[in-house]
Amino acid sequence: MSDTRTPERLAVAKTYKLYIGGKFPRSESGRVYPVHSAEGKFLANAAHASRKDVRDAVAAARKAFPGWAGATAYNRGQVLFRIAEVMEGRREQFATEVAAAEGLHRKQARAVVGAAIDRVVWYAGWTDKIATVLGAANPVAGPYFSFSVPEPTGVVAVLAPQQSSLLGLVSVVAPVLAAGNTCVVVSSAERPLPAVTLSEVLATSDVPGGVVNVLTGRAEELGPWLASHADVNALDPTGAPEDLRAELARAAADTVKRVLPVRGEREPDWTREPDIQRLRAFTEVKTVWHPIGT
Amino acid sequence: MIESPWEYAPAPESRDIANLKPSYQMFVDGEFVDGGGEPLKSVNPATEEVLAEVASADESDVDKAVRAARRAFDDTWSTMPGTERAKYLFRIARLVQERGRELAVLETLDNGKPIKESRDADIPTAAAHFFHHAGWADKLAHAGYGPDPRPLGVAGQVIPWNFPLLMLAWKIAPALACGNTVVLKPAETTPLSALVFAEICQQAGLPPGVVNILPGAGDVGAALVAHPGIDKVAFTGSTEVGKQIQRTVAGSGKKLTLELGGKAANIVFDDAPLDQAVEGIVNGIFFNQGHVCCAGSRLLVQESIAEELLEKLRARVRTLRVGDPLDKNTDVGAINSAEQLAKITELADSGDAEGAQRWTSPCPLPDRGFFFAPTVFSGVHQSMRIAREEIFGPVLSVLTFRTPAEAIAKANNTPYGLSAGIWTEKGSRILWAAQQLRAGVVWANTFNRFDPTAPFGGYQESGFGREGGRSGLEAYLDV
């Protein structure tokens, strides 16, 4: 018997890319940037999205909008629930990435992943209740049937939270989807890997291509292009630095974009059960009238 | 003019009912006071006579009014039980009804709108808004915004000249019901009914500072919107000014709602009841001289019936009576200002220049005052200014389409998204089209209907936020 030991297996390193229109392209700019763990260990190079990637992502989101907005609420709910199912299968991977990204203990990271999956489930259950809760039959003073229904706002640009790399991310993306919008998401810059894995989940969980587009990169760089883009209907600036938010809101004014009000320097406590504010924020109430008579 | 033995004799309403005063003061902290600004002269657009001199605010007045509103918010209004707030609002609703005739005549003198519209639409609907919102004041916990939704604080409100008292009601009623206090700037050219409303607030015994009215021009509005003591800004007016306000408010933490312009498509399918559609088209674009943000200013007609419909439409428009707004037989009154008349004239001329065919009603126009005869442009293309820009006057642009999908594509081909109309006998098509249209209000087989229980507001560059109904409360609650 030889005493030469089998060499330790060399891991297959991942190459991280963007997620646009259901595909995983490299950044058009060819740029990447290094991602480190909370302890400072090199983890990978992530794609560094550019202005052109923003435009491609918005075009993909616009193209996907009629299909997603037009899907039945039941269908959207099932697709969202499917995201939770696929996430469940990847719990360990998410936990590893969240632990590395946020410097959490394994147990804490598992709890965060569990909360993120539960958050998706919570919003999955909202899709077919939004109209009931936010809509109305209006008792107008006259012979008319008047009713109001909530509709998705359109393409939403989401600057995802910088600190909470997975729970924060799903907490801002899920309501946008549940309401029937499509979106372009800029992930946490320092902690993008859970977002990339979420992209892989989305790509394999019945979410039509283009409904969610995930860009790894910097909110400071991409946010202004999204805020001024005429084909973006709404902006969630949660992940933008506080001093940039006013500038984004000003840029958004040129197209009368809806901008989610975000206050303060600190991120919200994402572990708290959400209310429906984010569902309302990316919803338009449409009122339809018709005469009544014989 | 059609020569007919059945011509109507004039049926003028008496202008004395308006109790017009030679001068009006602004209303701050429960009292009428002089303003620091150069006084305005409010003009009757039907005769160009000066109706009254009106105090105008300067920046220090804005500051005083905001402080008064803050005190009233802290000391009385936000801490008062909802049931009590409700009773004040019910009182206001009743007083508006009681003084309805006076308000209607005043509104017509100041704005130029026909008395039949101020009497039958503006004033009753304004009263209805106070009545509806009064009932919300003590039921906010049931509105779906959580168990104890809180007011925002002081609301700064800027309203336009097309429906002076009605827009005031749309702004003030929900604000007060939700527990906010307000500083409102009426439009420069139509401040009078807001100042009579201030008297009504006094008669209702409303605590001082809860409602403050500051007449003035755009600079007063800008100062109000930018004032650091304001927690909420509500604006109805042009998209251009709305964008400026959104920029001003950006990053301030103030809550903002905007009701801006529109370029509504009124779509007539080939199976529509044509006579009803013609009435709806006329109501859609000539109501209030077309000074309506949700006016049906783009008529989209299915090609196969276009000629027939246009013939009926012209015959009907020919019968519209344009003239003295105080005459109860008048259908189309005066354009609100010389400036607005110039804007309408310029845009209509661009229609000629760009190759559209103009048809103008042969109705006689008065010698004095600002009037514009009802006008219909046919052969309009989507690229023309008269198909893209808001004219805000009695000018209709007619386009045609062949398929339902084309109708929707053309209707949605605008940065605006306030309203739309659908005319067809086919129920499934109504629901389909209503779903496809990117507009906040869709009228099917009717047009220009408003009610305090029905949310109103736009998509895209027509603004955000809703007014009316449960949805409208969100604008004035910290949720």
Side-chain angles (χ1 to χ4, degrees):
Chain A
M1 290 289 278
S2 158
D3 64 350
T4 51
R5 279 173 294 168
T6 314
E8 200 181 324
R9 180 181 174 277
L10 187 64
V12 176
K14 272 182 80 170
T15 297
Y16 291 87
K17 299 189 203 170
L18 306 174
Y19 181 53
I20 299 175
K23 297 192 165 64
F24 292 91
R26 293 190 168 83
S27 169
E28 162 278 341
S29 63
R31 299 180 305 176
V32 295
Y33 69 101
V35 178
H36 297 97
S37 73
E39 288 81 35
K41 190 181 138 215
F42 174 77
L43 294 174
N45 283 308
H48 190 160
S50 67
R51 181 186 177 187
K52 174 70 163 69
D53 297 319
V54 162
R55 281 160 53 190
D56 292 346
V58 172
R62 173 59 58 197
K63 197 172 162 204
F65 178 68
W68 184 245
T72 64
Y74 179 46
N75 181 224
R76 277 204 299 273
Q78 287 192 307
V79 171
L80 280 170
F81 187 74
R82 180 72 185 147
I83 296 172
E85 287 180 336
V86 180
M87 286 179 80
E88 189 78 26
R90 294 224 198 186
R91 281 186 65 180
E92 285 307 305
Q93 183 188 355
F94 275 122
T96 305
E97 286 173 349
V98 168
E102 299 180 24
L104 300 176
H105 293 301
R106 190 80 187 170
K107 198 175 158 194
Q108 289 172 309
R110 283 206 182 98
V112 167
V113 173
I117 297 170
D118 293 352
R119 183 65 35 89
V120 177
V121 172
W122 193 76
Y123 280 110
W126 260 111
T127 59
D128 58 358
K129 291 157 196 80
I130 299 171
T132 313
V133 172
L134 298 184
N138 310 310
V140 296
Y144 298 93
F145 178 44
S146 172
F147 61 96
S148 295
V149 284
E151 291 190 342
T153 294
V155 173
V156 182
V158 180
L159 305 179
Q162 296 296 329
Q163 309 298 321
S164 181
S165 61
L166 183 68
L167 178 57
L169 176 69
V170 300
S171 298
V172 296
V173 171
V176 169
L177 299 184
N181 303 284
T182 58
C183 60
V184 175
V185 185
V186 179
S187 74
S188 164
E190 303 298 325
R191 303 164 172 183
L193 302 190
V196 176
T197 302
L198 184 69
S199 307
E200 293 173 2
V201 166
L202 295 167
T204 52
S205 51
D206 305 337
V207 181
V211 169
V212 188
N213 303 276
V214 181
L215 304 178
T216 47
R218 308 204 72 86
E220 295 91 323
E221 182 188 345
L222 305 178
W225 297 120
L226 286 163
S228 62
H229 197 301
D231 212 14
V232 171
N233 302 101
L235 175 72
D236 173 357
T238 300
E242 197 182 8
D243 54 2
L244 182 67
R245 282 185 215 135
E247 190 190 309
L248 293 176
R250 269 192 294 278
D254 288 335
T255 50
V256 199
K257 235 176 229 91
R258 286 84 175 106
V259 182
L260 185 83
V262 175
R263 288 177 205 145
E265 221 175 306
R266 290 168 59 95
E267 275 178 22
D269 175 5
W270 300 108
T271 60
R272 287 178 52 184
E273 183 175 318
D275 58 23
I276 61 170
Q277 194 204 0
R278 283 174 179 272
L279 289 171
R280 276 195 278 113
F282 302 117
T283 297
E284 306 288 337
V285 171
K286 177 188 277 178
T287 299
V288 182
W289 291 66
H290 195 278
I292 295 172
T294 52
Chain B
M1 195 69 192
I2 305 155
E3 292 298 329
S4 158
W6 306 108
E7 267 309 308
Y8 291 93
E13 177 64 282
S14 163
R15 62 175 284 160
D16 295 343
I17 298 167
N19 295 329
L20 196 63
K21 297 188 290 188
S23 69
Y24 288 81
Q25 291 173 296
M26 39 182 238
F27 186 62
V28 176
D29 208 8
E31 288 177 23
F32 287 96
V33 293
D34 289 328
E38 187 66 27
L40 306 168
K41 285 189 169 41
S42 203
V43 170
N44 179 346
T47 60
E48 300 178 51
E49 65 164 320
V50 173
L51 288 171
E53 192 173 273
V54 180
S56 156
D58 66 8
E59 275 200 41
S60 72
D61 296 321
V62 171
D63 194 54
K64 270 182 227 155
V66 172
R67 284 172 197 279
R70 172 67 54 192
R71 274 196 305 278
F73 177 77
D74 290 338
D75 297 346
T76 56
W77 199 248
S78 70
T79 54
M80 182 186 293
T83 46
E84 299 297 304
R85 280 207 311 274
K87 286 188 280 184
Y88 281 110
L89 286 166
F90 280 124
R91 278 187 181 184
I92 292 173
R94 279 289 188 248
L95 285 163
V96 169
Q97 287 171 330
E98 285 165 17
R99 297 179 67 172
R101 198 157 168 220
E102 171 193 353
L103 284 164
V105 176
L106 185 69
E107 197 81 319
T108 285
L109 284 172
D110 202 18
N111 169 279
K113 60 176 66 207
I115 185 72
K116 70 171 186 184
E117 289 176 8
S118 52
R119 181 194 61 197
D120 298 348
D122 291 49
I123 309 303
T125 314
H129 271 268
F130 281 100
F131 201 89
H132 173 73
H133 285 95
W136 271 124
D138 54 0
K139 298 168 193 68
L140 294 171
H142 301 278
Y145 298 104
D148 185 25
R150 308 302 306 158
L152 292 160
V154 178
Q157 307 177 317
V158 178
I159 59 169
W161 45 261
N162 57 342
F163 293 92
L165 189 74
L166 183 56
M167 290 297 107
L168 174 148
W170 280 31
K171 294 283 178 292
I172 292 184
L176 298 194
C178 292
N180 305 275
T181 56
V182 306
V183 179
L184 177 132
K185 188 196 89 69
E188 188 181 357
T189 60
T190 56
L192 300 185
S193 55
L195 296 167
V196 173
F197 177 81
E199 283 178 26
I200 286 175
C201 291
Q202 281 186 330
Q203 289 180 337
L206 198 68
V210 172
V211 168
N212 304 274
I213 309 278
L214 296 183
D219 57 323
V220 179
L224 178 58
V225 164
H227 195 288
I230 294 283
D231 303 289
K232 193 252 154 39
V233 172
F235 172 73
T236 294
S238 74
T239 293
E240 187 196 334
V241 175
K243 288 178 180 180
Q244 284 170 22
I245 290 175
Q246 193 176 358
R247 271 181 223 116
T248 303
V249 169
S252 67
K254 293 172 189 170
K255 195 162 178 170
L256 174 67
T257 45
L258 299 172
E259 296 285 359
L260 308 178
K263 193 72 193 172
N266 206 356
I267 306 171
V268 183
F269 290 99
D270 57 7
D271 67 339
L274 288 195
D275 291 332
Q276 283 177 39
V278 165
E279 284 307 305
I281 295 160
V282 167
N283 178 26
I285 185 62
F286 299 120
F287 176 68
N288 206 44
Q289 296 72 247
H291 300 330
V292 186
C293 47
C294 51
S297 54
R298 284 185 300 155
L299 177 64
L300 300 183
V301 194
Q302 199 147 14
E303 205 175 76
S304 53
I305 56 156
E307 232 166 276
E308 187 188 355
L309 181 80
L310 270 177
E311 214 163 286
K312 281 177 182 280
L313 181 64
R314 289 181 190 130
R316 175 66 182 90
V317 174
R318 219 172 256 137
T319 68
L320 291 176
R321 306 168 66 85
V322 182
D324 179 7
L326 274 180
D327 189 329
K328 292 166 194 161
N329 295 321
T330 292
D331 298 303
V332 179
I335 303 301
N336 182 248
S337 63
E339 189 194 359
Q340 184 60 25
L341 181 59
K343 189 191 153 203
I344 296 167
T345 306
E346 194 265 323
L347 266 163
D349 290 348
S350 83
D352 296 329
E354 292 187 292
Q357 285 86 56
R358 186 200 289 237
W359 176 88
T360 303
S361 171
C363 60
L365 297 184
D367 301 329
R368 284 202 308 162
F370 314 130
F371 289 90
F372 195 93
T375 297
V376 178
F377 277 102
S378 54
V380 176
H381 299 294
Q382 294 187 80
S383 58
M384 293 179 181
R385 285 182 67 199
I386 53 170
R388 308 205 64 79
E389 296 177 31
E390 188 177 39
I391 299 175
F392 224 64
V395 180
L396 179 68
S397 299
V398 184
L399 299 90
T400 58
F401 67 90
R402 288 185 179 173
T403 64
E406 189 190 343
I408 300 295
K410 282 185 169 167
N412 287 340
N413 181 22
T414 167
Y416 294 117
L418 188 51
S419 62
I422 306 165
W423 297 86
T424 171
E425 289 284 44
K426 195 171 171 188
S428 58
R429 186 182 284 154
I430 289 171
L431 295 175
W432 172 83
Q435 226 169 31
Q436 301 295 313
L437 289 164
R438 300 275 293 165
V441 187
V442 179
W443 290 290
N445 293 330
T446 183
F447 210 92
N448 271 346
R449 300 290 156 199
F450 307 95
D451 193 278
T453 66
F456 179 94
Y459 280 56
Q460 301 187 87
E461 294 196 18
S462 289
F464 43 74
R466 294 293 177 266
E467 297 184 284
R470 198 181 62 79
S471 305
L473 299 175
E474 184 187 340
Y476 291 97
L477 294 171
D478 185 14
V479 290

